[in-house]
Amino acid sequence: MDFCNNTIHLLHNFVNKTCNIPLSNTSFPGGLPISISRQMLRRVNGLYSNMYLEYVLSYKADGQRQYLGFICIEGEFITFLQERNGHFKKIDLKVYPIAYEGTLFDVELLEDNTLLIFDCACINGNICQAEFYPNRLELARVFLHTSKQECRIFSSEIARNRIDGEYKSNYKDIIIRSKSWNLKVKAIFYASAISKLPSKWIYKDDGFIWTLATSKFHVYRCEKHSVLKWKPPDRITVDFIITANTMDIEFYKDITEIPTHLSDIYRSKTGSHKLLINHDDKVIWFSSMNTDVKYGVYECSWDSGKKKWYIELARLDKTHGNSLNTVVNTLENIEECLTRQDVNNLV
């Protein structure tokens, strides 16, 4: 359901004020994790660092990043999603009344219309961004518990076969439901519990996320190495933006425009004739794409045998491809090829 322009303006202001960014900012204010390296994996597990930092571990969900908000505007209780492309959508998920004084969650939208809370910016009008990360998730669980108690249309489920090493919570397994949506909080574990976790992913495909336990809520991940991710080598992808058919693009004859320290990485993965960089060095294109696709952002995987990128799916929720630095990091991850066994062995 679409909102009127005035409501969209008020929702936009609510999100930006809560995230402490300028009201004029129109981009999605979501921080992104950094791909983990072998060296950082040692540090996460306290094996290679002068100062041990505690991280919590969770399964990575392969969904669409969104903000989920609850706000009262002109006497109407509104539950909304803000998508990566900036679009606001009203949904039929109701919670207890005081939540509409202002509640905002960072969520992942999964294929079965489950909204998975993985961070919390504000609850009941109270900013909780300075709380430690496990505490923020605990506040989200209390939120779901309160909704279950006060809204009879919701139900809960208790998960079975709990795994040793999980952070303990009185409310960890609550799910609230509406006709179309499920809302739950993701489970987190001690980083050292990784070898005890089942090899089958809880969520589709994906991998693991490590979050610094003492990290604050940051929309652009200001804290270095505060959120790290690992995906199986065959599931590492890059989001590219395609702007025209190959015949309409003039490709550079060399890669002199790439910073010197990155040149070798690009040569090994793309070849000099396959790369184009835009003027602000933030977005890249590859000529080895299927040229029949329409303009837009596409999630692509690398075939190391054929030395070629392949389109996996269209990212309709995004308007920009990955940054140049993200692509460089991804190419390094492909080269390093960290397997699940490698991850387990470094505990």
Side-chain angles (χ1 to χ4, degrees), residues 282-293:
K282 289 185 179 299
V283 182
I284 71 174
W285 298 260
F286 281 89
S287 62
S288 56
M289 295 291 182
N290 176 355
T291 57
D292 293 331
V293 300

Side-chain angles (χ1 to χ4, degrees), residues 3 7 11 69-71 73 76-80 90 94 100:
F3 293 106
T7 300
L11 294 176
F70 303 85
I71 190 72
I73 295 178
E76 180 185 2
F77 287 176
I78 295 175
T79 305
F80 69 89
K90 187 175 183 179
K94 296 297 182 182
Y100 293 90

Side-chain angles (χ1 to χ4, degrees), residues 1 5 45 48 65 71 97 99 111 129 161 186 191 202 214 228 251 261 296 298 303 312-313 327 335 345:
M1 182 183 298
N5 289 337
N45 288 288
Y48 188 76
R65 185 74 173 280
I71 190 72
E111 285 186 340
Q129 298 172 20
N161 301 321
K186 76 170 183 179
I202 288 180
T214 58
L228 303 162
F251 286 87
H261 69 287
Y298 294 85
D303 186 320
E312 297 283 346
L313 55 91
V327 176
E335 196 73 36
N345 289 342

Side-chain angles (χ1 to χ4, degrees), residues 166-205:
E166 185 170 359
Y167 272 76
K168 302 301 181 183
S169 165
N170 293 326
Y171 313 106
K172 61 188 174 185
D173 300 318
I174 292 174
I175 303 174
I176 62 174
R177 306 181 187 278
S178 70
K179 182 178 180 180
S180 306
W181 304 90
N182 305 315
L183 180 62
K184 62 187 293 187
V185 180
K186 76 170 183 179
I188 56 175
F189 307 86
Y190 292 105
S192 59
I194 190 168
S195 60
K196 300 179 182 179
L197 300 182
S199 57
K200 184 178 180 180
W201 311 119
I202 288 180
Y203 312 115
K204 180 186 174 183
D205 293 324

Side-chain angles (χ1 to χ4, degrees), residues 38 230-234 236 304 330-340 342:
R38 193 178 300 272
W230 170 83
K231 296 176 69 173
D234 62 341
I236 296 176
S304 57
T330 302
L331 295 177
E332 290 175 335
N333 293 145
I334 293 173
E335 196 73 36
E336 193 168 31
C337 195
L338 272 176
T339 66
R340 172 67 186 270
D342 292 330

Side-chain angles (χ1 to χ4, degrees), residues 201-264:
W201 311 119
I202 288 180
Y203 312 115
K204 180 186 174 183
D205 293 324
D206 241 11
F208 294 111
I209 294 284
W210 289 264
T211 305
L212 187 63
T214 58
S215 63
K216 299 177 182 178
F217 180 93
H218 285 295
V219 293
Y220 299 120
R221 301 298 181 220
C222 299
E223 293 175 283
K224 187 177 182 181
H225 299 139
S226 62
V227 184
L228 303 162
K229 69 176 180 179
W230 170 83
K231 296 176 69 173
D234 62 341
R235 291 301 308 147
I236 296 176
T237 59
V238 173
D239 293 334
F240 293 122
I241 185 167
I242 296 178
T243 60
N245 290 335
T246 302
M247 66 180 67
D248 299 324
I249 298 179
E250 180 181 353
F251 286 87
Y252 291 120
K253 302 300 181 184
D254 55 45
I255 50 176
T256 56
E257 303 231 358
I258 303 175
T260 303
H261 69 287
L262 305 180
S263 296
D264 289 341

Side-chain angles (χ1 to χ4, degrees), residues 94-99 124 142-154 176:
K94 296 297 182 182
V95 292
Y96 58 95
I98 196 174
N124 305 342
V142 174
F143 174 90
L144 297 191
H145 176 75
T146 306
S147 296
K148 171 183 173 288
Q149 294 297 103
E150 296 192 18
C151 302
R152 300 299 181 185
I153 62 171
F154 299 135
I176 62 174

